[in-house]
Amino acid sequence: MSTPERLVLVRPFLKWAGNKFSIVERVRRQLPEGDRLVEPFVGSGAVFLNTDFPRYLLSDSNRDLVDLFNILKQQGPAFIERCRELFVPDNNRETVYYRLREEFNATVDDRERRAALFVYLNRHGYNGLCRYNASGGFNVPFGRYRGPYFPEREMLTFHRKAKRAVFRHEDFGKTMQQAKPGDVIYCDPPYVPLSASANFTAYSAGGFGDAEQERLAETSRQTAGRGIPVLISNHATEQSRALYAGSAIEEFSVQRRISCNGEKRNKAEELLALYRAS
């Protein structure tokens, strides 16, 4: 079985808006069996960590994320210790946060330093957001947490599991083109907005709008036609139902995890759309 029923759940080491930890059991029930799981939108890796495929091809449009994963895969404990150095009380201050955020945006050549700063910003920034401005600068504000958690155990778990995985920074279409019969694809794209004011596409420079949503749906249909099943998660809206016409759709409610007001984190309707191999 590629997704055992009683697999112990593993939390990602990154805080991540929209991560699939809360619905991972539902996702893995829908995933067909296969020799390799392909994720073109790997995000924090919640599905990767909580499935048991022999191999993984994991990609994302966020270069900082993919660089971090590759460095953690390659260096393991040594890199974790470098990250730990940033998790000291003196660094949990607004002035220091913005100085380190500025350093992160200015750092180009030192990939290890930038990756360590990415972990720091993720745990000290507001609500686990990953957001960039039009110029590509990380612009999440200071989170004001009493004592940000250093995810040593979770990073070690990721490092060990990553031995089965290949991480790539590339467009989802290119990743899906590389899939072969025997693979299974899970797509967790930036969601279609519930309203015009809720449209969040700045996860990486370039965004993810209607054209990309339509291209993903069409690519999924074509990929299923090549004998490779594709499972997609998204908001359950009229737009997404129309996008995934012809797939098997399951709808359900989930608790929103990201909100400006923690007391107003209402439930939202989501769906899983499965394009079966043909």
Side-chain angles (χ1 to χ4, degrees), residues 106-120:
T107 299
V108 177
D109 296 329
D110 190 342
R111 292 173 59 247
E112 293 177 20
R113 175 63 174 175
R114 186 175 172 95
L117 286 168
F118 190 76
V119 177
Y120 164 85

Side-chain angles (χ1 to χ4, degrees), residues 61 132-136 190 201-210 212:
S61 64
Y132 298 81
N133 60 29
S135 301
T201 60
Y203 162 75
S204 61
F208 200 90
D210 288 348
E212 287 77 19

Side-chain angles (χ1 to χ4, degrees), residues 86-118:
L86 292 166
F87 283 70
V88 295
D90 283 350
N91 284 350
N92 190 29
R93 293 184 289 143
E94 189 169 5
T95 55
V96 177
Y97 175 86
Y98 288 115
R99 176 174 59 78
L100 291 174
R101 192 182 75 173
E102 184 178 350
E103 179 188 347
F104 171 83
N105 286 327
T107 299
V108 177
D109 296 329
D110 190 342
R111 292 173 59 247
E112 293 177 20
R113 175 63 174 175
R114 186 175 172 95
L117 286 168
F118 190 76

Side-chain angles (χ1 to χ4, degrees), residues 12-277:
F13 70 90
L14 293 172
K15 296 169 64 178
W16 210 251
N19 91 74
K20 291 298 166 288
F21 183 78
S22 64
I23 65 165
V24 71
E25 290 180 291
R26 187 184 296 271
V27 170
R28 69 189 191 194
R29 284 197 300 267
Q30 290 277 12
L31 283 172
E33 293 189 3
D35 299 321
R36 181 175 68 165
L37 179 64
V38 178
E39 289 194 66
F41 306 88
V42 66
S44 66
V47 173
F48 156 61
L49 290 167
N50 289 288
T51 52
D52 195 27
F53 288 82
R55 296 179 298 128
Y56 294 85
L57 172 59
L58 309 172
S59 72
D60 204 277
S61 64
N62 187 316
R63 181 181 293 276
D64 291 320
L65 182 70
V66 175
D67 283 349
L68 167 60
F69 287 169
N70 274 319
I71 290 169
L72 179 55
K73 173 185 176 179
Q74 294 158 7
Q75 299 187 12
F79 175 70
I80 293 170
E81 286 304 310
R82 185 167 185 179
C83 294
R84 186 200 302 278
E85 295 171 0
L86 292 166
F87 283 70
V88 295
D90 283 350
N91 284 350
N92 190 29
R93 293 184 289 143
E94 189 169 5
T95 55
V96 177
Y97 175 86
Y98 288 115
R99 176 174 59 78
L100 291 174
R101 192 182 75 173
E102 184 178 350
E103 179 188 347
F104 171 83
N105 286 327
T107 299
V108 177
D109 296 329
D110 190 342
R111 292 173 59 247
E112 293 177 20
R113 175 63 174 175
R114 186 175 172 95
L117 286 168
F118 190 76
V119 177
Y120 164 85
L121 293 171
N122 174 262
R123 285 281 168 177
H124 290 74
Y126 178 74
N127 240 354
L129 290 175
C130 181
R131 189 184 66 191
Y132 298 81
N133 60 29
S135 301
F138 189 87
N139 66 353
V140 176
F142 182 55
R144 301 182 186 277
Y145 299 111
R146 181 174 298 177
Y149 172 67
F150 180 62
E152 177 181 13
R153 182 179 61 181
E154 292 84 351
M155 292 179 78
L156 280 170
T157 298
F158 190 101
H159 164 66
R160 296 181 185 118
K161 183 76 177 282
K163 295 174 183 178
R164 297 192 223 171
V166 172
F167 299 98
R168 292 178 182 164
H169 169 246
E170 62 188 17
D171 176 76
F172 70 85
K174 183 175 181 180
T175 300
M176 294 175 76
Q177 287 173 2
Q178 298 171 60
K180 303 175 182 178
D183 289 342
V184 177
I185 298 178
Y186 171 62
C187 295
D188 181 30
Y191 277 13
V192 299
L194 291 172
S195 65
S197 63
N199 194 359
F200 176 76
T201 60
Y203 162 75
S204 61
F208 200 90
D210 288 348
E212 287 77 19
Q213 297 284 359
E214 292 170 5
R215 181 162 65 94
L216 172 60
E218 179 57 30
T219 302
S220 298
R221 285 189 286 270
Q222 294 175 359
T223 302
R226 296 196 288 117
I228 304 158
V230 182
L231 181 66
I232 308 175
S233 56
N234 215 316
H235 279 140
T237 67
E238 290 303 317
Q239 179 184 358
S240 57
R241 294 184 191 99
L243 280 170
Y244 307 139
S247 68
I249 294 178
E250 176 192 3
E251 298 190 16
F252 50 94
S253 297
V254 298
Q255 190 74 30
R256 286 179 176 167
R257 299 298 181 185
I258 297 296
S259 171
C260 292
N261 186 337
E263 296 180 357
K264 295 182 179 179
R265 297 185 181 184
N266 301 321
K267 288 189 175 181
E269 297 300 312
E270 294 193 9
L271 60 75
L272 288 168
L274 177 61
Y275 289 93
R276 294 187 173 91

